[in-house]
């Protein structure tokens, strides 16, 4: 029957493309128990990579959350010429290859670029250092918070905010007591998406970090470096750790995703 | 004077929505802004509340020029058509919101909210969320929320527009009684003339962004300023180039001064009242109808195919059709 | 009195359509200014620098940089592979969406959740994972390492969710009554699919495919390990750019980058036009 045929085709495709590869890496990591996994992750370099990854990701998420809320309110609640264009510009990073992101940042903030050189003379090193990695991560995850909030803000309308104003609330009070609670779950959803993207970013960070072991090496860079150096257990362990983070954030987004008929 | 609106003009882009609108709302009155959709009535209400800025003109609330005041400083209570309930707050917190913003003491807030919830018959629902309330309950909660801050004026935008017919009827009578109790200057927007006549003590008819007429329900119904208002406020029919209310038509079996002959098409009995549908035999063959009692039908023996002679009742107001 | 007989609408009439209100206040301008500065510093100026770097010395230079043998080969491979990937996604994505919406089997919810995994998984991990199964010590005995097939598999992995996730909601919303009406008019299942379902799904299928294509031409992380970075054979454009950056050939890197940017933007622009055309048709 056609029904079983389609089901088989779909499931076999997913099995070989998705389930077997991801499952295999988990099995490879844990085939000798959890001990080697934790040993591999507690090496100095791995711990340092964790620390760099989280530092960069938290900065990027913080920046994009503030920007995301502001931009979403701007796009939904205000009107100005060029609004469509602003929306398109915010989505632009999704169309850019991570490597191009890295190159673009180097061309502006690198030591031999006018602006980067000027910054360096003032003691701020961007490329091959944390600020550059934060910039790269912000770039690739820029639209995620905005795009999570915009539909909810639209659907919420501004009636509740106006009601708050007529009841004596000023803008800040209306924002804090009405708007923020109204978009809470969408905001959390956007932040989780952004965080997952930030923790997992590889290409852009690979370019701007200079991949300096124990200095600018994030977890994803660590995976690649260990694998190329034939230290597969370490690479697999870090990859599994990243996969676990990805799966947890995936489950979180399932919980937080604004559903239809929520009201 | 409760509210004085003077010379308001307002456009959205190139479309004028209010043209030189001036309205006086007496202190303590219950005024209806009545008009067809797109007539500018909601915009006028929002201008009074400060939710829209007029292009020109002034708004004076209780003797204070409020034209440049932001909504939060006008001390108006606004009830939104779709309630604008704060979805993430309980009924109690919704009603308490304005008082919390004003930093009133906790026990005062508790007492005042309790009183208001009793007033709107929601005292048992104070822990519920808006999603757990019916439309009518949400509307009453929105009303209590607006009243909590003891507003100078209460503004309601199509307050019953989103409710079903039965609940609308109940809430209308209830709003009238509530107003008799709290006496706050109240303005509500409606496109339903029956609602306006039943609830309001003053009606302002707005159409095409202009005030067409202001007066008591009785005045605007019986003495409409123009054919538009006449048509909008109630049923009309046309006899001899005159617009007449169908219940203001006199029928006779013989020609009388000023009557027009007509042939009866249908006699529709709607209980006590009867609709006589007819065709005028004045050379125009116009269709017209009269609303009469069963007694008249029987005494005149009106039947389809029969001829009657009709004229507007001399006591009633009729308007030339233009 | 029977006043309601000329009522303009008893409760059912919609309220006045509220015009979009204009808030032209200093707040808007301040917010807009801040947003533009943020976007400029992080996105716009850097991207402009890429385009400037590659074209600033004239079109001849640009053309030369793009047509160096390895750059040209990598672009050809990237575009070609992405077309194949997009088409496979068009078919398989639609089939998977169909199965997820119309079929019922135990574990469907789990399968549905799995679809988003490629979005959540870091690309380098995706590459590593695929290499573990399809690499030199493949337990299946299939070695795709350093082959174009390996590159294709990596691109298929990372682009899997696009078509599924654009087609699925449309299919869910699709009115089953329409299909039943067609069937009652004598249409066979295949005819119902072709004449009723497919036209309704097509916009979503096209947009998912276009998104998969743009993602595919930009992809870097998942292809790094499995491609082995062999110029003329498995080196995709993003990897080629990376190599040029490592070799301090900024102009060459910028030129290929510009091509990728232009192709992605052209596809997205065309998609936007198609969607607006579709929206007009309702």
């Amino acid at each position: 029957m056609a029904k079983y045929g389609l089901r088989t085709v779909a499931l076999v495709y997913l099995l070989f493309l998705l389930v077997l590869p991801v499952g295999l890496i988990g099995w490879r990591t844990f085939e000798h128990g959890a001990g080697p996994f934790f040993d591999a992750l507690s090496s100095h370099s791995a711990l340092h990579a964790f620390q760099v990854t989280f530092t960069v990701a938290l900065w990027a998420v913080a920046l994009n959350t503030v920007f995301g809320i502001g931009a979403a309110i701007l796009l939904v609640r205000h009107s100005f010429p060029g609004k469509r264009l602003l929306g398109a510009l915010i989505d632009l990073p999704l169309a850019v290859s991570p490597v191009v992101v890295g190159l673009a940042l180097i061309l502006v903030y690198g030591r031999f670029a006018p602006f980067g050189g000027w910054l360096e003379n003032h003691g701020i090193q961007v490329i091959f250092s944390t600020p550059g990695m934060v910039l790269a991560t912000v770039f690739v995850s820029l639209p995620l918070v905005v795009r999570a909030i915009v539909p909810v803000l639209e659907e919420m309308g501004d009636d509740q905010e106006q009601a708050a104003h007529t009841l004596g609330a000023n803008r800040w009070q209306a924002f804090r007591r009405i708007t923020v609670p109204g978009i809470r779950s969408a905001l959390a959803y956007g932040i989780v998406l952004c965080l997952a993207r930030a923790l997992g970013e590889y290409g852009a960070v690979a370019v701007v970090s200079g991949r300096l072991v124990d200095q600018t090496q994030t977890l994803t860079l660590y995976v690649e470096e260990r694998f190329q150096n034939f230290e597969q257990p370490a690479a697999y362990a870090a990859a599994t750790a990243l996969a676990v983070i990805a799966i947890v954030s995936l489950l979180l987004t399932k919980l937080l995703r604004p559903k239809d008929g929520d009201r | 004077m409760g509210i004085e609106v003077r010379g308001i003009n307002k456009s959205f882009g190139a479309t004028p929505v209010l043209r030189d609108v001036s309205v006086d709302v007496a202190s303590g009155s219950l005024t209806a802004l009545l008009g067809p959709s797109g007539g500018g009535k909601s915009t006028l209400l929002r201008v009074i509340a400060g939710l829209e800025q007029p292009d020109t003109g002034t708004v004076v609330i209780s003797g204070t020029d409020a034209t440049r005041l932001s909504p939060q400083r006008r001390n108006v209570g606004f009830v939104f058509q779709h309630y604008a309930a704060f979805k993430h707050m309980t009924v109690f917190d919704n009603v308490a919101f304005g008082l919390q913003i004003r930093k009133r003491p906790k026990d005062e807030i508790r007492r005042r909210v309790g009183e208001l919830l009793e007033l709107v018959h929601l005292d048992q629902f104070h822990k519920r969320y808006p999603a757990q309330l019916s439309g009518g309950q949400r509307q009453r909660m929105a009303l209590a929320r607006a009243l909590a801050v003891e507003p100078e004026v209460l503004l309601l935008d199509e307050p019953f527009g989103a409710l079903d017919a039965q609940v609308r009827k109940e809430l209308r009578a209830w709003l009238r009684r509530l107003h008799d109790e709290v006496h706050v200057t109240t303005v509500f927007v409606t496109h339903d003339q029956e609602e306006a006549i039943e609830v309001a003590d003053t009606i302002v008819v707005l159409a095409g962004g202009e005030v067409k007429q202001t007066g008591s329900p009785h005045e605007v119904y019986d003495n409409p300023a123009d054919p538009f208002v006449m048509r909008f406020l109630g049923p009309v029919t046309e006899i001899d180039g005159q617009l007449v209310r169908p219940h203001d038509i006199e029928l006779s079996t013989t020609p009388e001064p000023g009557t027009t002959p007509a042939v009866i098409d249908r006699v529709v009995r709607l209980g006590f009242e009867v609709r006589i549908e007819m065709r005028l035999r004045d050379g125009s063959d116009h269709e017209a109808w009269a609303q009469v009692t069963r007694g008249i039908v029987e005494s005149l023996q009106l039947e389809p195919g029969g001829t009657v002679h009709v004229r507007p009742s001399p006591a009633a107001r009729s308007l030339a059709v233009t | 009195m029977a006043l309601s007989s000329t009522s303009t609408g008893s409760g059912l009439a919609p309220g006045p359509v509220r015009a979009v209100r204009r808030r032209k206040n200093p707040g808007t301008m301040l917010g807009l200014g801040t947003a533009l500065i943020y976007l400029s510093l992080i996105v716009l100026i850097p991207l402009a620098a890429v385009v400037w770097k590659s074209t600033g010395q004239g079109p001849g230079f640009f053309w030369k940089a793009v047509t160096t043998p390895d750059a040209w080969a990598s672009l050809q491979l990237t575009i070609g592979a992405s077309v194949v990937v997009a088409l496979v996604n068009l078919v398989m994505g639609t089939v998977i969406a169909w199965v997820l919406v119309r079929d019922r089997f135990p574990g469907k919810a789990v399968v549905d959740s799995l679809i988003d995994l490629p979005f959540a998984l870091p690309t380098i991990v995706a590459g590593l994972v695929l290499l573990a199964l399809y690499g030199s010590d493949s337990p299946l005995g299939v070695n795709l390492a350093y082959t174009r097939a390996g590159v294709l598999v990596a691109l298929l992995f990372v682009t899997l969710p696009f078509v599924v996730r654009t087609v699925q909601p449309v299919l869910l919303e699709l009115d089953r009554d329409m299909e039943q009406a067609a069937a009652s008019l004598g249409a066979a299942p295949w005819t119902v699919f072709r004449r009723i379902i497919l036209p309704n799904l097509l916009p979503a299928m096209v947009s998912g495919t276009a998104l998969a294509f743009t993602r595919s031409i930009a992809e870097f992380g998942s292809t790094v390990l499995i491609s082995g970075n062999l110029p003329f054979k498995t080196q995709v454009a993003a990897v080629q750019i990376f190599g040029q950056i490592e070799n301090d050939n900024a102009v060459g890197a910028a030129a290929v980058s510009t091509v990728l940017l232009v192709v992605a933007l052209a596809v997205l622009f065309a998609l936007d036009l198609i969607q607006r055309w579709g929206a007009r048709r309702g």
Side-chain angles (χ1 to χ4, degrees):
Chain A
M1 262 179 73
K3 189 173 105 175
Y4 294 106
L6 282 180
R7 188 193 297 176
T8 309
V9 168
L11 293 183
V12 166
Y13 185 77
L14 290 175
L15 180 73
F16 281 94
L17 191 60
L18 211 58
V19 179
L20 285 181
V22 177
L24 182 63
I25 208 85
W27 187 73
R28 281 274 157 85
T29 308
F30 292 112
E31 63 187 326
H32 304 299
F37 172 70
F38 287 109
D39 287 347
L41 288 187
S42 48
S43 75
H44 172 75
S45 294
L47 288 178
H48 190 270
F50 265 106
Q51 192 210 325
V52 173
T53 304
F54 277 96
T55 307
V56 169
L58 290 180
W59 271 108
V61 169
L63 286 168
N64 272 341
T65 301
V66 174
F67 170 77
I69 295 173
I73 289 177
L74 201 60
L75 285 176
V76 178
R77 293 283 189 264
H78 295 252
S79 76
F80 48 89
K83 191 160 151 174
R84 261 183 71 89
L85 186 65
L86 181 68
L89 287 180
I90 288 173
D91 289 334
L92 182 61
L94 291 182
V96 182
S97 173
V99 183
V100 178
V101 173
L103 173 67
L105 291 172
I106 285 182
L107 289 180
V108 174
Y109 296 101
R111 181 177 304 178
F112 302 110
F115 187 46
W118 181 83
L119 284 175
E120 188 125 342
N121 288 337
H122 289 75
I124 305 170
Q125 193 194 350
V126 178
I127 300 303
F128 302 153
S129 162
T130 310
M133 294 158 75
V134 172
L135 277 181
T137 310
V138 165
F139 189 126
V140 297
S141 59
L142 191 117
L144 298 176
V145 177
V146 188
R147 289 300 159 199
I149 304 176
V150 160
V152 179
L153 265 186
E154 268 170 356
E155 128 79 51
M156 186 175 150
D158 59 354
D159 276 9
Q160 294 184 54
E161 288 152 29
Q162 289 185 0
H165 288 312
T166 66
L167 292 168
N170 61 32
R171 279 190 169 213
W172 171 247
Q173 285 169 321
F175 171 74
R176 200 172 53 81
R177 302 190 51 161
I178 306 300
T179 315
V180 170
I183 60 172
R184 199 168 33 195
S185 68
L187 183 60
Y189 173 66
I191 289 176
V192 171
L193 284 181
C194 187
L195 184 64
R197 184 77 173 86
L199 291 174
E201 177 50 27
Y202 170 71
V205 168
V207 176
V208 297
S209 70
R211 297 186 290 169
L212 310 170
V213 178
D214 291 349
Q215 290 181 45
T216 60
Q217 193 177 56
T218 63
L219 267 184
T220 50
L221 299 177
Y222 174 85
V223 169
E224 192 253 1
E225 188 248 341
R226 293 293 136 138
F227 187 82
Q228 303 283 29
N229 290 334
F230 305 104
E231 291 179 45
Q232 291 184 348
Y236 284 158
T240 303
L242 283 166
V244 168
I245 292 172
I247 290 168
V248 168
S249 47
L250 193 65
L251 294 175
L252 274 178
T253 59
K254 293 275 175 228
L255 286 176
L256 294 168
R257 176 175 291 173
K259 291 183 185 69
D260 300 331
D262 226 11
R263 28 225 236 98
Chain B
M1 199 50 73
I3 306 168
E4 291 168 57
V5 172
R6 285 287 170 276
I8 296 287
N9 279 287
K10 172 79 185 166
S11 300
F12 290 126
T15 322
V17 183
L18 295 174
R19 307 173 203 223
D20 195 26
V21 169
S22 296
V23 172
D24 286 330
V25 177
S27 250
S29 72
L30 177 48
T31 299
L33 296 181
L34 173 66
S37 293
K41 51 196 193 310
S42 280
T43 307
L44 177 58
L45 198 76
R46 296 173 65 82
V47 165
I48 296 173
L51 295 170
E52 300 290 353
Q53 275 296 315
D55 301 334
T56 62
T58 56
V59 176
V60 176
I61 298 174
S62 298
T64 314
D65 184 353
T67 316
R68 297 289 150 203
L69 283 186
S70 64
Q72 88 224 38
R73 293 168 186 280
R74 292 194 186 198
N75 203 25
V76 296
F78 199 99
V79 177
F80 292 77
Q81 183 179 0
H82 298 286
Y83 327 119
F86 301 146
K87 284 183 201 140
H88 60 288
M89 294 185 193
T90 60
V91 170
F92 182 95
D93 287 333
N94 262 277
V95 178
F97 184 86
L99 298 169
Q100 287 169 352
I101 291 289
R102 285 166 175 72
K103 300 206 169 25
R104 297 282 166 76
K106 275 220 165 75
D107 48 338
E108 186 198 323
I109 294 178
R110 205 173 310 122
R111 187 168 40 76
R112 179 100 184 103
V113 174
E115 283 167 16
L116 280 158
L117 288 180
E118 210 167 304
L119 185 72
V120 300
H121 309 306
L122 286 176
D123 28 347
Q124 283 151 30
F125 298 104
H126 67 279
K127 279 188 184 152
R128 293 216 184 164
Y129 284 89
Q132 299 167 295
L133 300 180
S134 72
Q137 288 168 339
R138 265 181 247 177
Q139 183 62 284
R140 299 207 304 267
M141 180 193 83
L143 204 52
R145 184 175 72 182
L147 287 171
V149 299
E150 288 168 359
E152 306 270 355
V153 297
L154 181 62
L155 307 172
L156 305 105
D157 189 1
E158 296 269 7
F160 314 124
L163 301 171
D164 62 50
Q166 187 56 36
V167 182
R168 278 169 85 100
K169 279 221 155 72
E170 284 167 25
L171 275 181
R172 273 183 206 169
W174 178 80
L175 176 63
R176 181 72 246 181
R177 283 201 305 277
L178 185 80
H179 182 258
D180 294 342
E181 254 173 79
V182 292
H183 280 303
V184 58
T185 309
T186 304
V187 181
F188 73 100
V189 159
T190 180
H191 60 261
D192 182 340
Q193 89 291 356
E194 193 179 322
E195 193 165 284
I197 288 170
E198 190 180 323
V199 179
D201 46 41
T202 309
I203 293 179
V204 177
V205 183
L206 263 173
E210 291 173 321
V211 176
K212 296 289 183 189
Q213 191 173 6
T214 305
S216 68
H218 157 76
E219 278 166 1
V220 290
Y221 184 81
D222 288 327
N223 272 315
D226 60 28
F228 171 82
V229 176
M230 185 161 185
R231 285 181 202 277
F232 196 76
L233 263 290
V236 290
T237 192
E238 196 185 315
I239 289 176
D240 200 16
Q242 299 286 106
L243 277 184
V244 195
R245 299 262 182 242
H247 51 74
D248 284 337
I249 292 177
E250 289 182 353
L251 288 80
S252 60
T253 45
T254 53
E256 303 278 339
T259 60
T260 309
V263 179
I264 298 175
D265 281 342
R266 256 157 62 90
V267 176
V268 187
R269 289 161 200 274
L270 304 158
F272 174 72
E273 133 202 353
V274 182
R275 269 176 82 112
I276 308 292
E277 296 177 8
M278 54 205 163
R279 213 172 275 278
L280 298 180
R281 281 290 142 86
D282 56 352
S284 70
D285 209 36
H286 262 310
E287 285 179 7
W289 64 282
Q291 187 185 24
V292 296
T293 62
R294 226 151 73 179
I296 290 178
V297 174
E298 275 154 24
S299 68
L300 297 183
Q301 293 181 322
L302 300 178
E303 276 171 10
T307 301
V308 284
H309 298 267
V310 296
R311 69 176 178 200
S313 152
R317 160 104 176 174
S318 57
L319 282 176
V321 184
T322 42
Chain C
M1 290 200 303
L3 285 175
S4 56
S5 54
T6 51
S7 157
T8 52
S10 40
L12 292 173
V17 179
R18 193 182 297 163
V20 177
R21 284 182 310 286
R22 298 207 162 248
R23 270 201 215 168
K24 255 196 197 139
N25 55 37
T28 306
M29 290 307 139
L30 186 70
L32 186 57
T34 314
L36 284 178
I37 290 172
Y38 187 86
L39 279 174
S40 300
L41 285 177
I42 296 170
V43 178
L44 301 179
I45 295 173
L47 287 184
V50 171
V51 177
W52 175 247
K53 188 82 184 174
S54 63
T55 57
Q57 291 161 285
F61 256 86
F62 172 76
W63 189 243
K64 228 173 101 186
V66 170
T67 50
T68 61
D70 60 332
W72 191 245
S74 76
L75 279 171
Q76 276 183 313
L77 172 65
T78 302
I79 305 281
S82 297
V83 168
V84 173
V85 163
L87 292 177
V88 172
N89 268 301
L90 176 66
V91 175
M92 289 313 299
T94 308
V95 168
I96 293 169
W98 179 271
V99 169
L100 287 178
V101 173
R102 292 293 172 92
D103 203 353
R104 290 159 67 97
F105 53 91
K108 196 172 100 169
V110 178
V111 176
D112 188 86
S113 302
L114 275 179
I115 300 296
D116 289 321
L117 193 58
F119 277 168
L121 209 61
T123 51
I124 189 75
V125 177
L128 187 71
V129 151
L130 290 170
L131 201 54
L133 187 65
Y134 301 115
S136 50
D137 49 355
S138 163
L140 300 177
V142 182
N143 186 359
L144 302 179
Y146 314 148
T147 66
R148 289 187 171 185
V151 173
L152 278 181
V153 171
L155 295 178
L156 284 173
F157 183 96
V158 296
T159 54
L160 169 73
F162 286 101
V163 175
V164 181
R165 287 302 187 227
T166 48
V167 170
Q168 200 178 7
V170 180
L171 201 50
L172 267 174
E173 293 286 303
L174 200 65
D175 192 359
R176 296 290 286 262
D177 289 355
M178 250 183 346
E179 292 160 50
Q180 288 165 1
S184 77
L185 293 167
W190 170 247
T191 315
V192 172
F193 180 78
R194 201 171 47 84
R195 300 275 305 267
I196 307 294
I197 300 172
L198 201 57
N200 281 291
L201 289 189
L202 208 57
M205 289 163 69
V206 169
S207 101
T209 306
L211 291 175
F213 177 81
T214 55
R215 171 67 199 263
S216 182
I217 59 167
E219 183 51 26
F220 173 66
S222 64
T223 59
V224 165
L225 296 179
I226 205 165
S227 75
N229 192 10
L230 306 174
F232 307 108
K233 191 181 171 210
T234 61
Q235 192 183 58
V236 293
V239 178
Q240 202 270 343
I241 295 168
F242 188 78
Q244 296 302 320
I245 298 171
E246 301 272 276
N247 294 336
D248 283 328
N249 179 7
V251 177
V256 178
S257 297
T258 302
V259 174
L260 288 187
L261 273 177
V262 168
V263 173
L265 291 184
V267 170
L268 291 179
F269 184 70
L271 180 62
D272 187 56
L273 284 184
I274 292 172
Q275 276 171 342
R276 280 205 258 172
W277 174 75
R280 239 182 315 138
R281 275 177 69 219

